[in-house]
Amino acid sequence: MERRGIPAVVLGTDAFISLGRTASAALGLPHLPAVTVSHPIGGVAAADVRQRADGIVDAVLTALTRDPAPVEAAPVAETVSGPDDLDAFQEFAMAQGWGDGLPVLPATRARVARILGRARPDEAVATLAPRQGIATLEAIAANAALAGAGPEHLPVIVAALRALVHPRFNLFAIQTTTHPWTPLIIVNGPHARRLGISGGPNALGNGSRANAVIGRAVRLVLQNVGGARPRSTDRATQGHPGKFSYCVAENEEASSWEPLSIERGFGRDESTVTVCGSEGPHNVNDHASTSADALLHALVGTAATTGSNNIYLGGEPLVILGPEHAQTIAASGWSKRDFKRAFWERARVPLSAFSGENLARFAVTDPARFRGQPGDTMIHVAKTPDDVMVIVAGGPGKHSAIVPTFGDTRSVTVKIAE
Amino acid sequence: MDLVSPTGTAAIAAKRLAARRSSLVGSRIAVLDNSKPNADALLERVAELLVARTGAASIRVWRKPGASHPAANHDEIAAAADVVLTGSAD
């Protein structure tokens, strides 16, 4: 609007206006006027919110009729001097806003050069919202160095970043949401085996260096280059532990179905990274069922919940089948497509399970599914069977996991460059 | 020790704000509701108060398609408004 010559003012709550300021700065308008009321305005009576307008109308009028003071942007240094002592460096890195709370390793010129190898440092891989930060290979390598990654991990990290900036992923919204998401990085193909990215026992947990450093490096790039800083621009209400690192290989050997990369049109000899805007995994325990049909009870009961982002926004909930559950389902003669259809058909809740206030909201945001429907209408956790994502990961045991997503995001798969 | 900054640089060209108005007398106020809960209540009430206090002429409300998507109809709003009130985040 400002570009079109129309004065504008942004209203927000005091708890969230830092996000508005980052967004306006990223548009080149750091001095765009913003006026705040006390948080929250959601989940309270509209009459209470209207009363708060009295207290800000003068500030809004000033914002539309008086030129704001200009704001100088701070220059960004490419080289920074830090303490030599490794323990002192930890405090320094956190004060700079570079860390995630766990120890980081210094991104010295020599370590960054070793990770880069023959790659061009100034090659721009992606422009990352909300800061519109330019992820050059050098900046990515600096974050990889902080995360403890080596040169062999860089192509996977770079591929993940290329996937994250695809418009379908909706990076700006997801980087700044209150929802607890982080990119789940799923690796398929020969690269996963070559780098030792675990898709076996405890694959979503600790104990594998490749999983840990790849997921962590991507997360640090999103924070440091993308500008999604915890507690300021990253507005997560609670977050989740995967925000330290969230990377897994598909256990292709343990699956009798085609892996995710083949489903998405890549070849057996190609390696891919898929990024999903994911919540943490929720366990599905079933030690007794011996058929696909029986196993679905626990799987759909864990997935179809009234507080899920997927159930009202859509998107792609992910089912991570443990190998033994996957084998039980395949042994019933079901293809992956059969499973997706049956899962979609049964993972649903009646409209009457939602609160009246939530239904009023959903009727506005998604009238096709929620407006004017009877209470016994069944709402599916995904809009179509094809929106259900399925991979196989893990080791021996009778567990699977449901991983909901932010909803207003789509997973993106890209090939890892050789 | 010398360290490579992990922040990189940002692709931002500084832009100018639109000229502010000397008063709101006769102006058309656009409300761009960002679709967050109760944003409409706050934005529309502020617009009503501005009309009452300043002699602004009218209020027209647009709504973003969803809180996590940008508005698409900037040109339409710009053609129909002299000032814009909008919301950011929650």
Side-chain angles (χ1 to χ4, degrees):
Chain A
M1 290 301 127
E2 295 282 344
R3 204 182 311 162
R4 291 167 173 80
I6 311 293
V9 59
V10 175
L11 275 61
T13 67
D14 45 15
F16 280 81
I17 203 62
S18 59
L19 185 51
R21 293 207 185 285
T22 301
S24 61
L27 294 169
L29 297 170
H31 43 320
L32 182 68
V35 177
T36 61
V37 294
S38 58
H39 188 80
I41 64 170
V44 298
D48 293 347
V49 172
R50 287 171 63 84
Q51 276 186 356
R52 286 185 228 175
D54 290 313
I56 61 168
V57 66
D58 288 335
V60 172
L61 180 58
T62 302
L64 294 170
T65 55
R66 198 172 303 162
D67 287 328
V71 177
E72 295 297 325
V76 180
E78 285 182 19
T79 303
V80 180
S81 184
D84 290 326
D85 178 79
L86 206 49
D87 289 314
F89 176 72
Q90 303 310 316
E91 292 301 322
F92 173 82
M94 288 306 290
Q96 293 285 320
W98 294 347
D100 56 10
L102 290 172
V104 283
L105 295 176
T108 59
R109 287 243 154 252
R111 294 189 67 240
V112 170
R114 193 173 72 85
I115 291 170
L116 280 172
R118 284 182 295 181
R120 277 186 48 192
D122 61 347
E123 183 184 327
V125 170
T127 302
L128 299 172
R131 178 177 165 244
Q132 300 307 102
I134 303 171
T136 59
L137 283 173
E138 184 177 57
I140 296 166
N143 285 284
L146 287 169
E152 68 277 24
H153 304 121
L154 186 64
V156 185
I157 297 164
V158 166
L161 292 165
R162 289 194 201 283
L164 284 165
V165 293
H166 192 287
R168 284 164 54 90
F169 195 80
N170 200 9
L171 187 65
F172 191 106
I174 202 167
Q175 278 267 73
T176 54
T177 182
T178 49
H179 174 266
W181 83 284
T182 197
L184 171 60
I185 298 162
I186 303 167
V187 187
N188 280 98
H191 249 91
R193 291 184 287 279
R194 202 181 308 148
L195 295 177
I197 303 170
S198 174
N202 202 35
L204 288 162
N206 53 355
S208 162
R209 180 181 172 217
N211 299 49
V213 297
I214 290 168
R216 191 182 187 204
V218 171
R219 187 67 238 174
L220 289 177
V221 174
L222 288 175
Q223 170 183 315
N224 292 327
V225 182
R229 303 213 167 272
R231 298 188 296 273
S232 72
T233 329
D234 175 347
R235 295 305 320 178
T237 302
Q238 297 180 312
H240 77 72
K243 291 179 87 165
F244 285 105
S245 182
Y246 206 15
C247 173
V248 68
E250 179 159 10
N251 193 339
E252 297 177 14
E253 293 78 9
S255 172
S256 40
W257 293 332
E258 71 282 14
L260 180 62
S261 53
I262 305 293
E263 264 188 280
R264 300 212 163 165
F266 295 90
R268 286 266 169 199
D269 55 342
E270 292 180 304
S271 297
T272 62
V273 165
T274 302
V275 293
C276 310
S278 299
E279 296 180 15
H282 191 107
N283 182 51
V284 183
N285 176 332
D286 187 329
H287 280 73
S289 297
T290 56
S291 70
D293 192 65
L295 201 49
L296 265 184
H297 289 85
L299 288 164
V300 302
T302 309
T305 58
T306 49
S308 162
N309 269 41
N310 290 122
I311 212 156
Y312 86 98
L313 284 174
E316 301 162 304
L318 169 67
V319 185
I320 305 183
L321 291 171
E324 294 182 19
H325 282 170
Q327 282 151 16
T328 297
I329 296 166
S332 293
W334 288 22
S335 68
K336 199 177 198 179
R337 197 173 175 79
D338 295 335
F339 173 74
K340 287 185 179 191
R341 171 153 285 284
F343 179 91
W344 173 83
E345 186 59 47
R346 286 163 63 173
R348 54 187 199 165
V349 293
L351 202 75
S352 58
F354 297 92
S355 79
E357 289 94 331
N358 259 336
L359 283 178
R361 182 171 174 237
F362 301 161
V364 173
T365 55
D366 190 352
R369 288 195 302 156
F370 288 97
R371 184 179 290 168
Q373 305 286 347
D376 59 357
T377 304
M378 298 305 284
I379 304 293
H380 296 259
V381 75
K383 288 186 179 173
T384 74
D386 286 337
D387 288 335
V388 177
M389 286 181 66
V390 179
I391 64 167
V392 176
K398 300 290 182 188
H399 297 270
S400 291
I402 301 293
V403 183
T405 73
F406 170 59
D408 219 342
T409 177
R410 309 297 291 197
S411 64
V412 177
T413 302
V414 302
K415 186 180 166 184
I416 302 169
E418 288 301 322
Chain B
M1 76 192 132
D2 282 347
L3 304 163
V4 179
S5 166
T7 63
T9 55
I12 299 166
K15 301 192 188 83
R16 296 173 63 88
L17 288 177
R20 297 347 247 182
R21 299 178 63 88
S22 54
S23 85
L24 296 192
V25 174
S27 62
R28 299 163 298 167
I29 300 174
V31 167
L32 176 54
D33 174 3
N34 67 338
S35 296
K36 281 285 187 176
N38 278 335
D40 52 351
L42 181 67
L43 290 162
E44 289 170 30
R45 181 61 184 156
V46 169
E48 288 165 19
L49 292 171
L50 285 174
V51 169
R53 291 196 192 180
T54 68
S58 62
I59 301 168
R60 192 169 156 196
V61 179
W62 282 266
R63 190 182 173 91
K64 288 211 304 176
S68 50
H69 290 286
N73 46 353
H74 286 153
D75 288 327
E76 179 195 326
I77 299 170
D82 298 307
V83 295
V84 175
L85 308 181
T86 190
S88 169
D90 287 34

